Amino acid sequence: MAKKAKFAFFSSSSPKSLPSSPSSFTSFPASPLSQNFTQSSMEEAVERAEAVIRKWDPNTPSLTKIVSLFNHSRKEAKEFIICVRDLRKAMHFLVSQDSQSPKLALAQTLMQIAMTRLEKEFFQILSSNRDKLDPESVSGHSSISSNSEFEDIMQRNDDDEDEMRKAAESITQVEKASAVVMSDLKAIAESMISCGYGKECIKIYKRIRKSIVDEGLSLLGIETYRGSRFYRTDWATLEHMIKNWIKAAKIGVATLFRGEKLLCDHVFSASNSTRESCFYEIAYEAATNLFKFPEFVAKEKKSHERIFSLMDLQAAISDLWQDVEMIFNFGSVAGVKSQALSSLQKLKVSIHSALVDFESTIQKDSTKALTPGGGVHKLTRSTMSFISSLSKHSRVLSEILADHPLPRNTRLLESYVTMLEDEEHSHALSVHLAWLILVLLCKLDTKAEHYKDVSLSYLFLANNLHFIIETVRSTHLRDLLGDDWLTKHSDKLNAYAANYEIAAWSNVYMSLPEEPTDLSPEEAKTYFSRFHTAFEEAYMKQSSRVVADSKLRDGLKVSIARKLVPEYREFYRKYLPMLGQERNIEMLVRFKPDNLENYISDLFHGTPILSSYSVSSSSSSSSSWMSLGCVSG
């Protein structure tokens, strides 16, 4: 394969492609001629050039045919470049003095030999120094001198290498090796272009460097993207492709394309048009294809489950944008920036559509199954997990939601927005996340209505709101929603808990006399019986209730015990002695105050207690409780 490539490159060096007459050199860039550049000095220059150039004639059967000039002797390589420069000056001089001069014909022959040699050297340096010209090595140069090593020497016309040694001291060995190779390429390119052989030089450069860019992207897993490829790809595969693309794009832009831009700018620094043309041929197609991938992904079916991969793509392109603008600054490669911007815009649309889909999913949730014991609903868990994950992408979402503000057309939303506008972190994302949580709370209110027991409805709301609050408190959502949001919803949680107590335990509270009064033994027996019946009924029902969070569970237990135990203890202390003569006193007074505390401490673990007697059904109606989660505007 390498042999075929080499043959293709050198086939362009046939005599037909070279200048065929002395007059063709009149189009070369003119160089200032020394006033002392006389006929004799011209002849000396041609003779000196002939000795050096013929030694390195690639068409002669000698060692120099297979040996690289630049690898063999840098001193001779410098001498060769200088001879080519002087030969070009001599040819300009001969054209102006005597276009039929035999010396001009000799000089033209020597120039053809020199260009063939330089073309070969250019190819060999590009081919055999890929490790020194790999994009990572090249992009590691923070700055590259605009002058080549040989150009500096020719300008000084001096063999002194002190300056080169001083420059070498400031860079590492790897950077030095890379800089030397880049300097060689620059010297050859400028020599060939100045002598009218730029076409051959540029052709070699474009082919070799483009193959390196294409190979590099292929190794990174970047393929040629077509829309039809995505229609047949399942999401799991596409998600893997997205993760790979993000990693590959960072390397591709920051290292591969940046390195190529630096190398191209250095080698062809003498010509802006050549630099632009080369970089376009090498990078445009590959870079445009690279940034087509996010656009194809964005066109796929909109679903909120895919939003995080879309946001990762959005963030990756945004992070690379500064490099993209710097690297693709030529007009000819502006299409790369346009493609990247198009992908960003398509991703924004898809991400916003996914958010709309997520809100719709909450509103349309139609699961009828009730959570046993009034525990946390699976919709609450999944929704809050999703929302807390959204909060981790605040930079991307803030930019998108700024263009899609929520309409403030309800009293309910207005109250949330007003609250958040007082917070330091108020922005479109905060409002939107607060809105999504409000949508969830309204849906939970609807689900709470399906419970036949009022107290269970309130316990369900308390459990779920507590889960929501703790999720906000323990994630980045706290920074976005603010302490006022937490305070307001904590107050609402306390109201749910209080309403649960009233609905579940009010009959027990009211079974004891309200005012301290002197009761007769019969009245005391009645109150003891009433209390025990009410407590047993409440306890049997509430034993199956669930409060998963220990803090909320303990808080409810303490609140119930504080209202119940001290009152019963006082009643027990005062009236039990009055009934001391009663037969079967243990059946009449079934609970001691300490036993009462033990019973209460066993609540809310979801373990129902079976009774040996019939428990009367609650007279509560589901229509008698009022929701505190979603008040209509």
Side-chain angles (χ1 to χ4, degrees):
M1 192 72 179
K3 290 182 179 179
K4 289 184 179 180
K6 183 182 289 189
F7 176 79
F9 290 140
F10 293 129
S11 63
S12 65
S13 300
S14 61
K16 292 181 180 179
S17 68
L18 301 175
S20 58
S21 66
S23 61
S24 65
F25 288 99
T26 58
S27 62
F28 293 168
S31 298
L33 300 178
S34 171
Q35 294 179 354
N36 297 322
F37 199 66
T38 61
Q39 186 75 24
S40 59
S41 60
M42 174 277 298
E43 292 177 355
E44 289 176 4
V46 173
E47 290 172 1
R48 186 168 59 254
E50 182 176 17
V52 174
I53 291 172
R54 287 198 184 279
K55 175 182 177 181
W56 291 96
D57 184 351
N59 297 315
T60 58
S62 64
L63 182 63
T64 56
K65 183 176 182 178
I66 59 174
V67 173
S68 168
L69 167 60
F70 282 73
N71 285 340
H72 175 71
S73 171
R74 298 196 57 74
K75 182 178 179 181
E76 289 191 50
K78 297 170 189 176
E79 185 180 10
F80 192 94
I81 293 293
I82 292 171
C83 285
V84 171
R85 178 204 64 180
D86 292 343
L87 183 62
R88 177 171 60 87
K89 289 182 179 181
M91 293 174 74
H92 275 288
F93 181 84
L94 288 172
V95 167
S96 66
Q97 297 297 314
D98 181 8
S99 61
Q100 302 301 319
S101 169
K103 286 289 184 181
L104 180 58
L106 173 61
Q108 185 177 9
T109 300
L110 293 174
M111 182 62 74
Q112 290 176 349
I113 295 172
M115 292 300 106
T116 302
R117 164 54 68 180
L118 290 180
E119 184 177 348
K120 182 177 181 179
E121 294 292 325
F122 197 70
F123 173 81
Q124 288 181 333
I125 292 171
L126 282 171
S127 302
S128 62
N129 290 283
R130 292 180 61 158
D131 58 330
K132 300 181 182 67
L133 294 175
D134 70 284
E136 187 172 2
S137 296
V138 176
S139 62
H141 291 273
S142 57
S143 62
I144 302 174
S145 170
S146 60
N147 289 343
S148 70
E149 170 190 348
F150 298 114
E151 185 178 9
D152 289 337
I153 290 171
M154 288 189 286
Q155 287 175 350
R156 294 193 304 266
N157 199 18
D158 193 333
D159 290 334
D160 187 1
E161 296 188 358
D162 287 345
E163 292 296 325
M164 187 63 185
R165 282 195 295 270
K166 290 178 181 178
E169 292 174 359
S170 63
I171 58 176
T172 66
Q173 284 299 111
V174 175
E175 289 176 329
K176 180 180 179 181
S178 175
V180 168
V181 173
M182 292 169 67
S183 178
D184 291 348
L185 290 173
K186 177 179 172 66
I188 295 173
E190 292 182 351
S191 183
M192 292 183 71
I193 291 171
S194 68
C195 293
Y197 289 78
K199 183 179 179 180
E200 290 76 11
C201 171
I202 293 168
K203 183 178 180 181
I204 294 171
Y205 186 88
K206 288 178 179 178
R207 286 192 181 184
I208 294 181
R209 295 312 298 179
K210 187 177 189 306
S211 69
I212 289 173
V213 169
D214 293 343
E215 179 184 342
L217 289 172
S218 178
L219 290 173
L220 290 171
I222 301 300
E223 58 188 76
T224 301
Y225 299 116
R226 295 181 177 87
S228 57
R229 163 81 163 84
F230 291 83
Y231 302 145
R232 302 190 300 268
T233 304
D234 61 271
W235 177 246
T237 302
L238 195 57
E239 195 170 25
H240 175 74
M241 292 173 64
I242 290 171
K243 292 177 180 178
N244 180 74
W245 185 91
I246 292 172
K247 295 177 183 176
K250 290 178 181 178
I251 298 172
V253 172
T255 300
L256 195 60
F257 290 120
R258 182 174 182 270
E260 284 303 319
K261 179 68 160 51
L262 285 170
L263 182 61
C264 200
D265 286 352
H266 180 71
V267 173
F268 301 106
S269 60
S271 172
N272 288 336
S273 60
T274 302
R275 289 162 51 203
E276 181 171 355
S277 171
C278 283
F279 187 64
Y280 171 84
E281 293 288 343
I282 293 167
Y284 182 79
E285 182 181 343
T288 304
N289 174 70
L290 177 69
F291 285 107
K292 278 183 180 178
F293 176 82
E295 183 171 347
F296 283 130
V297 173
K299 290 179 180 178
E300 287 296 288
K301 181 183 177 182
K302 310 298 186 296
S303 172
H304 70 269
E305 290 92 350
R306 304 180 179 185
I307 191 172
F308 298 107
S309 293
L310 297 177
M311 289 192 293
D312 287 341
L313 279 174
Q314 175 88 2
I317 300 176
S318 297
D319 290 342
L320 291 171
W321 180 246
Q322 187 174 355
D323 284 338
V324 170
E325 280 197 307
M326 179 186 68
I327 294 167
F328 300 96
N329 60 340
F330 291 134
S332 60
V333 291
V336 175
K337 292 189 287 186
S338 298
Q339 180 59 60
L341 286 173
S342 176
S343 290
L344 279 173
Q345 186 58 37
K346 294 291 194 306
L347 285 170
K348 286 181 179 180
V349 172
S350 292
I351 291 169
H352 183 258
S353 296
L355 283 174
V356 173
D357 176 73
F358 174 60
E359 179 182 336
S360 177
T361 300
I362 301 172
Q363 292 174 333
K364 293 179 180 178
D365 182 87
S366 58
T367 54
K368 301 295 184 181
L370 299 177
T371 307
V376 179
H377 199 280
K378 63 179 183 179
L379 177 65
T380 304
R381 296 184 186 277
S382 61
T383 300
M384 290 310 299
S385 174
F386 192 90
I387 293 175
S388 64
S389 295
L390 287 178
S391 70
K392 299 174 185 176
H393 295 77
S394 57
R395 178 168 64 94
V396 171
L397 285 175
S398 294
E399 182 180 346
I400 294 171
L401 292 174
D403 298 329
H404 299 87
L406 287 169
R408 301 186 184 186
N409 55 3
T410 67
R411 288 167 49 198
L412 192 60
L413 178 58
E414 191 69 39
S415 66
Y416 274 74
V417 174
T418 302
M419 175 185 66
L420 286 171
E421 284 178 345
D422 294 333
E423 294 291 326
E424 179 182 354
H425 302 286
S426 174
H427 49 68
L429 175 59
S430 298
V431 175
H432 200 97
L433 296 182
W435 169 253
L436 291 175
I437 294 175
L438 182 58
V439 171
L440 172 62
L441 289 172
C442 291
K443 176 57 66 172
L444 291 173
D445 279 343
T446 303
K447 292 186 179 298
E449 293 174 356
H450 296 154
Y451 288 102
K452 295 180 180 180
D453 184 272
V454 176
S455 67
L456 190 54
S457 296
Y458 280 118
L459 187 64
F460 170 80
L461 290 173
N463 272 319
N464 283 269
L465 181 55
H466 184 271
F467 182 87
I468 292 170
I469 290 172
E470 288 306 307
T471 301
V472 170
R473 196 189 309 275
S474 61
T475 65
H476 184 50
L477 284 169
R478 177 169 190 164
D479 296 329
L480 293 171
L481 300 184
D483 290 337
D484 279 356
W485 187 96
L486 285 170
T487 300
K488 178 174 182 177
H489 287 79
S490 294
D491 291 343
K492 186 181 292 186
L493 172 61
N494 292 334
Y496 285 153
N499 284 326
Y500 159 75
E501 283 190 44
I502 292 171
W505 298 93
S506 59
N507 286 342
V508 183
Y509 297 155
M510 293 185 295
S511 64
L512 295 173
E514 293 183 9
E515 298 293 336
T517 170
D518 292 331
L519 301 176
S520 67
E522 285 301 318
E523 289 175 327
K525 287 169 58 177
T526 301
Y527 275 110
F528 269 116
S529 176
R530 185 187 304 172
F531 175 82
H532 293 152
T533 300
F535 182 81
E536 280 187 338
E537 181 179 342
Y539 180 76
M540 297 298 293
K541 183 182 292 187
Q542 300 308 315
S543 65
S544 64
R545 306 307 188 231
V546 175
V547 179
D549 183 81
S550 60
K551 183 178 179 181
L552 179 61
R553 183 171 62 243
D554 292 343
L556 285 171
K557 291 178 184 179
V558 169
S559 179
I560 294 168
R562 283 177 177 173
K563 293 181 178 68
L564 195 60
V565 175
E567 292 289 331
Y568 180 69
R569 190 185 301 277
E570 178 61 23
F571 181 81
Y572 183 90
R573 182 193 64 78
K574 185 173 181 180
Y575 291 104
L576 183 63
M578 186 184 295
L579 305 177
Q581 302 302 317
E582 291 286 332
R583 290 166 36 177
N584 299 322
I585 187 67
E586 69 277 0
M587 296 296 296
L588 180 63
V589 182
R590 295 193 291 273
F591 299 114
K592 294 180 180 180
D594 291 342
N595 295 140
L596 210 62
E597 289 182 324
N598 292 335
Y599 281 119
I600 294 173
S601 69
D602 290 335
L603 290 172
F604 306 126
H605 291 283
T607 307
I609 305 298
L610 298 179
S611 173
S612 59
Y613 62 95
S614 174
V615 179
S616 61
S617 60
S618 171
S619 61
S620 300
S621 168
S622 61
S623 62
S624 66
W625 69 279
M626 182 186 73
S627 161
L628 293 178
C630 184
V631 184
S632 59

